[in-house]
Amino acid sequence: MWWSAWNETAEKEGLVNIMVFVSLAVSIVIILFVILKLKLNPAIALVLGSIFMGITTGLGAAETIDTISSGFGNLMTGIALPVGFGVILGQLLSDSGGAKVIATTMIQKTSEKYALYALGITAFLLSVPVFYDVTFVILIPLAIAVSRQIHKPLPYTVGAMIIGAGAAHTLAPPTPNPLAAAEILHFDLGVMVIVGIVLGLISAIIAMKIFFTLLDKGFWNKEKDETGVEVYEEHISNEKRNEPTFIMSLIPILLPVVLILVGTIMGAVMKQVPAAVTFLSNKTVALLLGALSAYVISARAMDKEERDQSATEALKSCGIVLLITGAGGSFGAIISATGMADMLADLIQNISASPVVALLIAFVIAALFRVALGSGTVASITTMTIMASVPAAVGMHPVWMAIACLSGSLSCGHVNDSGFWVSTNLSGFTITGGLKSYTLGNAITAVLAMLFAIIGCLVIPI
C-alpha cells in the first residue's frame, strides 16, 4: 500500500513539474511574441510573461503581482543606484572630452605595429563606464584616422573597436548586465570585476588576433561588404575647450574599480575588514565617488549647467535599461517562487553532474534569446534568473555561470540589435559587412570567454 501511495505522489509531483516547465515555455513564447510581433517594450513583455507563469502555476493573482513587485524591487535595490552613478560618470567623461583624450593618448603612445590592439583595448577601457553605442561614436573618427595612418582597411580598426567595446560592455561591471549578475547569482561583485575584466580583456585580445588573421586571408570583400562611403563626419568645434588630462580622465574609471577590489581582497585575507573599507568598497559608494570625481574633473571643460544637463541625459538613457533589468528580476522571482529554478537544477544534475554541461546549456539558452530578441540585456538577465540555482547544484562558483550567460548573450547580435546598426552605419558597411564585423567579432569573443569559463570552473570549482 505504501508503495502505491509513493508512486501516486511521485506521479503527481512529476505532473506538477511538467506543468511548470510548460508554463515557462509558454511564458517565453509570450515574451517573444510581445517584443517581436507587437513591438512593445521588453519590460512589458517580461511582466506579461511573469503574470502568465505565476497564475498558471498556481501562485494566484495576488501573490503573482506581489512576487513581480518584490522581484523588481529586490534587484533594483542592489543595482539601480550603482548603474545610475556609472552612467552619469560615463556621460560626463564623454561630454567633457575626457574619453576622447584617453583614446587619443593611448593610440599616440603606441607603435604602429600595435595600433590596432591599442584601439581595441581603448574601446574596452571606455566601455567599462560608457555604453557601447557612445563608445563607438567617440572612437569611429579615431578608427578612420588610424586606418589611414597604418595603411590598413577600415574593417581592421572597426573590428578592433567592436571586439574591445563588446567584451567590456558584456563582461565588466559597472555596466548593467555584469553588475546584475552578482545580485542574481549571489556572489561578491569584486569577483565579477576581477574575472570580468581579466577574462574579458584576454578574450578580446585573442579575438582581435583571430579576426585580423581572417581579414589577412581575404575574408573581407571590399566591393560587397562596404558601401564605399565613410558615413561618419567629425564636426570639430572652433571653441577652445580645456579638456581634462589623460591621468585625470582615468580617475573616474579606475577609482570605483580599485575601491571595490580593495574590499574584495581585504575580505579574502582578513578576518575583520575595517568598517571604513567596507563602506568605501560598497558598490554604491564606490560608483558615487566615481561620479563625483567625474563632476570635478569635467569642470575644466564644462560649466555647472552643462554638467547638470549631461547627467540628466545620462539618466534618460539608463532609465529604460533599469526598467528592463528590473522586469528581468520580476521574471526571476516568479521562476523562483514556482520552484522552477530548483527543478531545472535537479534536471541538469540528473542529465549530468558536470558543471561543463551546465555552462554549455546556459550559453546556448542565452544565445537563443539574443538571436530572437536582439537585446543582450534581456538575454543575459533572463538566462541568469533561469539558471540561478544551478551553480550550487553542480558544484561551481557562480561567477562561471555568470560568464557563460553573459558570453552567450554576446554571441549572436545581428540585424535586430541597435548596436549592429550603429556599428554598420557609422562605418559605411553593408549588412553583410556588419555581419562580418559586428556579429562575427562578438561571436569569437563570446566563444573564447565561454572556453575560459569552462577552464575556470574546472580549475577553481568553488
Side-chain angles (χ1 to χ4, degrees):
M1 183 177 294
W2 65 269
W3 177 257
S4 60
W6 184 87
N7 277 335
E8 185 178 346
T9 302
E11 287 176 4
K12 287 181 179 179
E13 289 180 354
L15 183 61
V16 170
N17 291 349
I18 291 172
M19 289 303 299
V20 172
F21 276 103
V22 170
S23 293
L24 175 63
V26 177
S27 297
I28 292 172
V29 170
I30 290 172
I31 292 169
L32 294 174
F33 177 79
V34 171
I35 295 174
L36 299 179
K37 295 297 183 182
L38 301 184
K39 307 297 183 183
L40 297 183
N41 188 277
I44 295 174
L46 285 164
V47 171
L48 289 174
S50 301
I51 291 172
F52 175 85
M53 185 170 180
I55 292 175
T56 56
T57 53
L59 288 182
E63 186 178 349
T64 295
I65 297 302
D66 288 343
T67 303
I68 289 171
S69 299
S70 63
F72 185 96
N74 290 340
L75 187 55
M76 286 297 99
T77 298
I79 72 166
L81 286 175
V83 169
F85 293 144
V87 172
I88 291 173
L89 184 165
Q91 190 72 43
L92 287 169
L93 195 63
S94 171
D95 292 347
S96 67
K100 189 173 181 180
V101 168
I102 292 172
T104 306
T105 304
M106 288 191 68
I107 296 298
Q108 289 174 346
K109 298 296 183 182
T110 308
S111 67
E112 190 172 296
K113 180 180 178 182
Y114 297 106
L116 289 173
Y117 292 98
L119 184 62
I121 293 171
T122 301
F124 184 95
L125 181 63
L126 291 186
S127 280
V128 171
V130 178
F131 284 145
Y132 175 91
D133 294 2
V134 179
T135 297
F136 201 91
V137 170
I138 291 170
L139 290 182
I140 185 62
L142 194 60
I144 294 172
V146 170
S147 178
R148 291 169 178 164
Q149 179 183 339
I150 65 175
H151 308 293
K152 287 281 191 181
L154 194 58
Y156 283 86
T157 52
V158 170
M161 286 166 45
I162 287 170
I163 290 170
H169 183 75
T170 304
L171 300 173
T175 49
N177 296 3
L179 194 65
E183 287 291 323
I184 294 170
L185 296 170
H186 307 296
F187 65 96
D188 190 282
L189 178 61
V191 175
M192 188 69 234
V193 171
I194 295 171
V195 174
I197 290 178
V198 173
L199 189 150
L201 189 55
I202 293 172
S203 298
I205 292 172
I206 298 174
M208 281 186 265
K209 176 62 177 176
I210 295 171
F211 186 76
F212 300 152
T213 301
L214 289 173
L215 294 182
D216 290 339
K217 293 185 179 299
F219 175 71
W220 193 270
N221 186 319
K222 185 172 178 63
E223 293 182 0
K224 293 183 178 180
D225 299 333
E226 298 180 36
T227 62
V229 177
E230 287 180 358
V231 177
Y232 185 89
E233 293 182 10
E234 186 177 12
H235 300 283
I236 302 174
S237 173
N238 292 324
E239 181 184 355
K240 295 289 184 181
R241 298 190 67 184
N242 190 20
E243 294 173 337
T245 65
F246 176 70
I247 297 298
M248 291 174 65
S249 300
L250 284 176
I251 290 174
I253 299 175
L254 298 180
L255 179 60
V257 171
V258 170
L259 289 174
I260 292 169
L261 290 182
V262 167
T264 299
I265 294 169
M266 292 188 71
V269 300
M270 298 177 64
K271 292 183 178 179
Q272 186 71 34
V273 179
V277 174
T278 301
F279 174 76
L280 292 173
S281 63
N282 178 276
K283 58 182 178 288
T284 302
V285 175
L287 282 158
L288 172 61
L289 293 174
L292 290 174
S293 69
Y295 262 104
V296 173
I297 289 166
S298 63
R300 287 171 57 96
M302 306 165 69
D303 59 29
K304 181 182 181 302
E305 184 178 344
E306 289 173 328
R307 284 178 287 164
D308 289 343
Q309 184 177 354
S310 181
T312 301
E313 287 299 315
L315 293 176
K316 286 180 183 178
S317 66
C318 85
I320 188 62
V321 175
L322 288 174
L323 184 64
I324 294 170
T325 305
S330 297
F331 192 42
I334 290 292
I335 290 172
S336 178
T338 61
M340 167 70 206
D342 294 330
M343 287 181 227
L344 185 61
D346 292 339
L347 179 62
I348 291 173
Q349 197 171 15
N350 290 333
I351 295 172
S352 172
S354 169
V356 174
V357 174
L359 292 177
L360 291 172
I361 291 172
F363 182 88
V364 171
I365 292 173
L368 291 174
F369 272 120
R370 181 62 187 271
V371 170
L373 301 176
S375 170
T377 299
V378 176
S380 59
I381 295 295
T382 305
T383 307
M384 285 188 289
T385 56
I386 292 172
M387 304 295 287
S389 298
V390 174
V394 298
M396 68 171 160
H397 195 286
V399 71
W400 307 121
M401 178 58 70
I403 296 296
C405 296
L406 293 167
S407 58
S409 73
L410 177 66
S411 62
C412 299
H414 58 101
V415 294
N416 61 355
D417 177 8
S418 64
F420 175 91
W421 292 110
V422 169
S423 305
T424 301
N425 290 337
L426 288 181
S427 304
F429 295 163
T430 64
I431 292 178
T432 302
L435 293 172
K436 287 184 176 182
S437 55
Y438 182 85
T439 305
L440 179 63
N442 283 331
I444 295 170
T445 308
V447 171
L448 288 169
M450 178 61 192
L451 291 175
F452 283 123
I454 291 173
I455 294 170
C457 82
L458 295 176
V459 175
I460 312 173
I462 296 294

